[in-house]
Amino acid sequence: METAAIIRPRRSFILPLLLAVTFVSALELSDQLMSYVIKDFGEEAHQRLENWQRLHALASNAPVDRQLKLVNSFFNRVRFISDIRHWGEEDYWATPIELLTTNGGDCEDFSIAKYLTLRAMGVPDEQLRIVYVKALELNQAHMVLAWYETPSSVPLVLDNLINEIKPASQRTDLEPVYSFNGDGLWLNKESGGRSRIGDSKKLERWQDLNDRLNSALTP
């Protein structure tokens, strides 16, 4: 039987997470953070964060296809837990630290963690999109990460529902709605194309997540 998820008020959980990490170039977690995690969440949580740093160190110079597989597999080991059960909120976008420390999250959290980790490994932002889709077989909203070799390429899909990374053309169970990365926001058209509709800052929860990451970086 699955143990009860950790639910902690957002503010009391976020403030102690003092990071020494720049996701676009490195992934280093401060001693203060690691001490806090092992004290409040235990050895297993501490080990998951250490494994995350080790993954970054080992895979940063690997070919991108290897990076995709390693990152997808690493985060797919985390438990899927709904936001309302885990955080006491209908829709909360967690940082990778929160995801790994509590060993739980939903599809948005998996996609965001994969995106930020690959960015830290040096994968260009223009090759990555977090994609909001409709999972047709489940008849519900879902989120995945897509990697584009070139702007016109059929992307590869990193999904917490399956471990295998497949081209989007083989994921007929997913219907894209919109996508975003650190630079922009795109709306998918019924014809299959995409149109840029602005900056990703338009997404309130994405902006909130980035604000929390930035505040953690502020001395």
Side-chain angles (χ1 to χ4, degrees):
M1 179 179 296
E2 187 179 86
T3 56
I6 298 170
I7 300 178
R8 184 177 288 252
R10 181 188 303 184
R11 186 170 298 277
S12 65
F13 180 67
I14 294 296
L15 289 181
L17 300 187
L18 305 176
L19 309 182
V21 51
T22 304
F23 279 104
V24 297
S25 61
L27 202 165
E28 297 180 1
L29 306 178
S30 69
D31 291 340
Q32 187 172 1
L33 167 66
M34 298 300 275
S35 296
Y36 167 74
V37 168
I38 198 168
K39 177 182 176 183
D40 279 34
F41 294 91
E43 178 60 38
E44 290 185 3
H46 183 270
Q47 187 63 54
R48 284 191 293 272
L49 293 184
E50 285 198 331
N51 290 343
W52 184 36
Q53 290 188 105
R54 189 174 297 112
L55 169 70
H56 175 268
L58 292 174
S60 287
N61 295 319
V64 68
D65 59 337
R66 180 65 174 161
Q67 292 177 330
L68 297 176
K69 290 177 182 178
L70 289 172
V71 170
N72 194 57
S73 176
F74 177 80
F75 284 106
N76 281 3
R77 293 197 293 266
V78 177
R79 298 177 301 166
F80 180 90
I81 306 174
S82 68
D83 283 335
I84 193 66
R85 183 181 173 197
H86 198 42
W87 301 108
E89 299 185 24
E90 288 291 342
D91 193 11
Y92 178 68
W93 291 13
T95 67
I97 302 292
E98 294 168 298
L99 175 72
L100 292 172
T101 299
T102 63
N103 193 30
D106 67 0
C107 57
E108 293 94 344
D109 307 327
F110 287 103
S111 300
I112 290 165
K114 294 171 187 179
Y115 166 81
L116 290 172
T117 302
L118 287 166
R119 290 289 291 117
M121 290 178 177
V123 178
D125 197 38
E126 59 267 24
Q127 291 186 348
L128 296 169
R129 301 268 183 88
I130 299 172
V131 189
Y132 181 88
V133 302
K134 182 176 181 180
L136 300 177
E137 294 177 3
L138 299 175
N139 192 31
Q140 66 183 38
H142 184 49
M143 195 169 277
V144 297
L145 179 66
W147 175 77
Y148 293 78
E149 184 175 10
T150 70
S152 59
S153 297
V154 174
L156 298 178
V157 178
L158 286 68
D159 188 353
N160 66 286
L161 294 178
I162 62 173
N163 285 322
E164 185 179 359
I165 298 175
K166 295 183 177 182
S169 57
Q170 296 180 20
R171 294 301 307 272
T172 56
D173 57 315
L174 303 179
E175 183 178 288
V177 179
Y178 70 84
S179 60
F180 63 95
N181 58 19
D183 177 59
L185 174 65
W186 292 263
L187 182 67
N188 282 70
K189 300 178 180 179
E190 291 185 5
S191 61
R194 295 180 301 275
S195 61
R196 180 166 178 149
I197 58 174
D199 193 280
S200 55
K201 290 180 180 179
K202 288 184 176 181
L203 297 173
E204 181 180 348
R205 290 183 178 86
W206 178 244
Q207 186 60 44
D208 174 65
L209 180 138
N210 279 280
D211 287 345
R212 284 183 279 126
L213 287 173
N214 291 334
S215 65
L217 288 165
T218 302

